[in-house]
Amino acid sequence: MAAVYDLKQREISVKERGCFTVALSGGSLISFLGKLYEAPYDKTVDWTKWYVLWTDERAVSKSHPDSNYKLTKDNFLSKVPILNNHVYSINDNLTVEDAAMQYEFAIRQLVKARILNVSSINDCPKFDLVLLSVGSNGSVASLFPHHPALEQSDDWITYITDSSEPPPERITFTLPVINSASNVVMLASGEDKATAMHFAVDGSGEEFDASAVPACLVRPVDGKLVWFMDMLAASKLQLSG
Ligand SMILES: O=C(O)[C@H](O)[C@@H](O)[C@H](O)[C@H](O)COP(=O)(O)O
């Protein structure tokens, strides 16, 4: 479903700007993209129009098992003819701080080249699609509960050195960039996501501290938010009738 949604949005972007910019998180999300390299999509998608970036990346070598680039390359990019120079991964020879700066610079270049749109509301890059998989703790990208990175609004890309999930050092989109996307798809599968889904989808009382569940803070300012979850992840939803 998510993969097909991805395609619908792609068609609109390619018609309008001749390219389709997508930012991927890591985790189980990548396994859901498998549909895209099966018939009929493998032949009907103009992959040359795709530009792929990551919403977050671990500060490890791109050949390291923990690398989101490696995960995506092995399970998706190696199976579709997206142009290598349209794939923007981090420079894994830099410190995490410098890698974050360099990644932001690369995104700024894409904005300058008009590959990436800019939000009319907050001058952030406006990705056509941001695909996120929600962590069992309600994290999205590498934005973790109660982490100061949630407050970051000056930078497009920030870095952390104390991730609650190993490895500790990561770069990540900041919330303003995620919330500037034209389309955000949030994926959740498995019972361990049910509590986070309850808070993120059903909302919570005023007294609830949304930074406890970063997925609650994903609210596109001028874009669509679509959830895809399995029955286990949805098992605690109390959607009003
Ligand atoms: O680099 C990362 O750790 C991922 O980007 C992270 O945001 C992941 O997507 C979630 O933790 C969900 O992971 P699962 O879908 O595997 O539970």
Side-chain angles (χ1 to χ4, degrees):
M1 277 291 282
V4 176
Y5 179 85
D6 178 51
L7 287 178
K8 290 269 171 289
Q9 298 317 316
R10 180 195 55 78
E11 277 155 26
I12 298 166
S13 315
V14 169
K15 272 204 194 85
E16 282 169 6
R17 288 182 301 108
C19 57
F20 174 62
T21 55
V22 57
L24 306 171
S25 69
S28 57
L29 163 80
I30 305 304
S31 63
F32 290 111
L33 296 180
K35 273 274 167 267
L36 290 176
Y37 49 80
E38 290 170 9
Y41 308 114
D42 58 340
K43 298 279 183 293
T44 55
V45 173
D46 179 353
W47 297 102
T48 63
K49 299 287 193 292
W50 284 50
Y51 287 77
V52 175
L53 290 87
W54 279 265
T55 62
D56 61 312
E57 178 57 289
R58 292 83 178 282
V60 297
S61 148
K62 287 194 281 196
S63 57
H64 190 284
D66 281 347
S67 160
N68 283 339
Y69 169 80
K70 176 175 171 33
L71 174 74
T72 313
K73 179 90 179 162
D74 294 349
N75 297 285
F76 175 59
L77 292 176
S78 56
K79 302 171 190 294
V80 290
I82 291 172
L83 305 178
N84 287 337
N85 64 349
H86 285 190
V87 175
Y88 290 78
S89 56
I90 68 164
N91 180 334
D92 57 356
N93 295 312
L94 301 175
T95 63
V96 64
E97 184 175 1
D98 289 348
M101 274 194 286
Q102 184 270 343
Y103 208 57
E104 177 160 331
F105 178 77
I107 292 175
R108 287 186 183 279
Q109 296 304 97
L110 287 171
V111 167
K112 220 182 266 178
R114 297 183 188 283
I115 301 291
L116 260 173
N117 258 339
V118 177
S119 163
S120 55
I121 297 170
N122 59 12
D123 95 1
C124 279
K126 192 175 184 63
F127 282 81
D128 294 311
L129 179 61
V130 167
L131 282 170
L132 298 170
S133 182
V134 181
S136 48
N137 56 5
S139 62
V140 289
S142 283
L143 296 169
F144 294 98
H146 302 300
H147 198 286
L150 292 170
E151 307 297 322
Q152 255 293 353
S153 55
D154 300 336
D155 297 324
W156 293 354
I157 303 289
T158 192
Y159 69 95
I160 64 174
T161 57
D162 57 353
S163 164
S164 50
E165 302 285 330
E169 292 195 335
R170 294 146 175 256
I171 72 152
T172 183
F173 276 18
T174 55
L175 274 170
V177 172
I178 292 174
N179 285 329
S180 294
S182 297
N183 298 275
V184 179
V185 168
M186 299 261 265
L187 285 170
S189 65
E191 193 164 6
D192 62 322
K193 313 292 174 78
T195 304
M197 289 305 96
H198 161 56
F199 284 116
V201 177
D202 292 329
S204 43
E206 285 69 51
E207 72 291 344
F208 177 72
D209 172 8
S211 71
V213 181
C216 295
L217 299 170
V218 175
R219 294 286 180 265
V221 288
D222 176 22
K224 261 186 266 169
L225 172 60
V226 178
W227 290 90
F228 288 100
M229 59 185 91
D230 63 10
M231 292 305 284
L232 288 172
S235 59
K236 290 185 178 170
L237 290 192
Q238 295 158 12
L239 294 170
S240 41

